[in-house]
Amino acid sequence: MAEGAGTAIPFWPAPDFAAWIFDTFINEGAPLENAEHAHLREASIGVLWTGVENSKRQRTIVGRAELGETIGGSDPWSKGRAVQQLEGWFGLVPDFILTFSAPYADQADDATFCALVEHELSHCAQERDAYGMPKFRKFGAPSFCMRGHDIEEFVGVVARYGADASGVRALVDAANAGPTIAAADITFACGNCQR
């Protein structure tokens, strides 16, 4: 955990990490460029490290993506405090905020860490209209939103009833096809994780 004034800081901004995310996954020509994240080239993304443990539904949470504009809720005081904190960290309220567990990242291998980052980026979406076309705000900026998981199912249900009956055929087929990025490519792009 970061240290400040003799006490541990539970959350700290990571502008270098944010730049690495753009340079690795989002920007055109990035070593692990993913066309599914192209809409984020115009987004502001604030990245935080944390040492605070988090769990939900008996699962440890090691990454989280949120819309910056929704932080703090609707109460004017809560919202005001959140905006002040975000502006202090990032200089603005970012379109998205990604938070990552520093202890987890420290022990994760390159491929696992890259998968975590891309998982969180996959939650960061551009809204679509009734015809499936990207939505934009009044002055032409993309209108962003959060995207849910493609698939949510229990391993036990898949084991008992199969991929088709449990609605995970596309995931199983993707897993069986193997990764589209070689481990060496991931190691090169994720050099900051190497020991």
Side-chain angles (χ1 to χ4, degrees), residues 126-155:
Q126 185 172 357
E127 286 187 289
R128 302 280 174 169
D129 65 18
Y131 303 101
M133 299 302 295
K135 288 176 82 172
F136 295 88
R137 295 182 185 209
K138 188 175 182 179
F139 298 105
S143 180
F144 293 116
C145 64
M146 297 306 296
R147 176 178 172 233
H149 296 110
D150 291 332
I151 297 171
E152 187 168 327
E153 187 52 86
F154 292 100
V155 172

Side-chain angles (χ1 to χ4, degrees), residues 8-164:
I9 300 171
F11 296 91
W12 59 100
D16 291 344
F17 186 12
W20 178 83
I21 289 171
F22 273 90
D23 291 344
T24 303
F25 302 105
I26 299 172
N27 292 339
E28 191 171 350
L32 299 179
E33 178 185 0
N34 185 338
E36 291 182 20
H37 306 315
H39 63 283
L40 297 175
R41 290 180 185 144
E42 297 182 46
S44 59
I45 300 176
V47 179
L48 295 170
W49 285 116
T50 185
V52 177
E53 291 183 21
N54 191 5
S55 63
K56 183 177 182 181
R57 298 183 190 143
Q58 299 180 330
R59 298 192 75 171
T60 300
I61 297 170
V62 295
R64 181 179 198 173
E66 302 170 273
L67 273 176
E69 66 185 28
T70 63
I71 300 294
S74 60
D75 169 5
W77 287 1
S78 298
K79 184 72 172 175
R81 281 193 314 264
V83 167
Q84 180 180 352
Q85 181 67 68
L86 293 175
E87 288 175 347
W89 279 335
F90 307 118
L92 52 80
V93 175
D95 295 313
F96 296 101
I97 300 165
L98 304 181
T99 306
F100 294 95
S101 166
Y104 176 82
D106 187 50
Q107 60 81 38
D109 63 66
D110 291 346
T112 302
F113 185 71
C114 287
L116 170 63
V117 173
E118 284 217 67
H119 176 100
E120 299 310 329
L121 288 174
S122 295
H123 283 299
C124 304
Q126 185 172 357
E127 286 187 289
R128 302 280 174 169
D129 65 18
Y131 303 101
M133 299 302 295
K135 288 176 82 172
F136 295 88
R137 295 182 185 209
K138 188 175 182 179
F139 298 105
S143 180
F144 293 116
C145 64
M146 297 306 296
R147 176 178 172 233
H149 296 110
D150 291 332
I151 297 171
E152 187 168 327
E153 187 52 86
F154 292 100
V155 172
V157 172
V158 177
R160 288 173 58 86
Y161 299 100
D164 294 320

